[in-house]
Amino acid sequence: QVQVVESGGGLVQAGGSLRLSCTVSGLTIRDHAMGWFRQAPGKQREGVSCITWHGLNTYYRDSVKGRFTISSDSAKNTLYLQMNDLSPEDTGMYYCAAKTYGYCSGVEVTQIAYWGQGTQVTVSS
């Protein structure tokens, strides 16, 4: 049974930083592309970042480039999202997901094999 569990969300002021973690069991993350997604109230879920299998390539949505960094630790089977210089527009529920295959289709919300339950990120102005 695969479990995907996010943590690290919280309330932060604009300009602050957060580091999200995603611990996975029942699946080896280095064999899958892994992604971070977010959903603001009243909006569709959108892709934030994706890392291909074995961490070969990374992708980011334009609005987070230069501020967010996706990484993984194979030994801990954990995915991370370092978020710096946060803005209120980054507010939302952040979800980690394991993709069906080892490649990313950019940051599209496609080919998702397993979702986590999400962690809330709130950025105050």
Side-chain angles (χ1 to χ4, degrees), residues 34-55:
M34 297 291 297
W36 286 100
F37 305 84
R38 67 187 181 189
Q39 188 167 17
K43 295 188 177 181
Q44 287 190 327
R45 192 170 298 188
E46 63 184 19
V48 175
S49 184
C50 186
I51 185 167
T52 59
W53 75 320
H54 293 271

Side-chain angles (χ1 to χ4, degrees), residues 35 48 51 53 61 64 72 81 92 107 113 120:
V48 175
I51 185 167
W53 75 320
R61 70 180 301 105
V64 308
S72 62
L81 185 68
V107 294
Q120 178 67 37

